[in-house]
Amino acid sequence: MAFISVVVTAYNRKEFLDDCLKSIENQTLDRNEFEVILISNFEYDGLKSRNFHSRHFVMEGTLGEYVSKGIMESKGDIVSFLDDDDIFNKMKLEELKKAFEGNI
């Protein structure tokens, strides 16, 4: 069974983050099949109330450093990325997992 890590990068846009994370929370994929790693330049308490496994790292740096940190911290066989001002289609992670089946 493939496990997915979703790396969410957030820089100075806390106001979009709730919608972004809600789109992850609404995924059709079972919650035990993915994790969320939030990399931001600000504190954010909104992960505590979410219905998925998550970790949060606060740091300064470039987008490349944020992405690198997310990859290093991920536990997934598959790594997906989501910016703070974007949202996932509700079947995004399920379709991603299907696309990689047999290739991991």
Side-chain angles (χ1 to χ4, degrees), residues 16-53:
F16 299 120
L17 201 49
D18 283 333
D19 289 337
C20 171
L21 295 173
K22 185 174 180 127
S23 78
I24 298 171
E25 197 168 39
N26 290 334
Q27 291 297 297
T28 56
L29 189 66
D30 185 280
R31 303 292 181 262
N32 293 318
E33 296 185 57
F34 69 90
E35 68 174 347
V36 174
I37 301 167
L38 172 61
I39 312 290
S40 71
N41 69 329
F42 53 82
E43 295 293 333
Y44 179 77
D45 291 331
L47 281 177
K48 296 175 185 174
S49 62
R50 301 292 172 177
N51 188 21
F52 50 69
H53 303 288

Side-chain angles (χ1 to χ4, degrees), residues 6-24 36-44 47 50 56-57 59 63 66-67 80-88:
V6 178
V7 176
V8 178
T9 55
Y11 187 84
N12 288 343
R13 296 191 292 207
K14 191 184 289 190
E15 67 273 15
F16 299 120
L17 201 49
D18 283 333
D19 289 337
C20 171
L21 295 173
K22 185 174 180 127
S23 78
I24 298 171
V36 174
I37 301 167
L38 172 61
I39 312 290
S40 71
N41 69 329
F42 53 82
E43 295 293 333
Y44 179 77
L47 281 177
R50 301 292 172 177
H56 181 202
F57 300 92
M59 61 181 277
L63 178 59
Y66 280 38
V67 170
S80 182
F81 300 94
L82 184 62
D83 291 331
D84 53 5
D85 63 342
D86 290 330
I87 58 173
F88 275 167

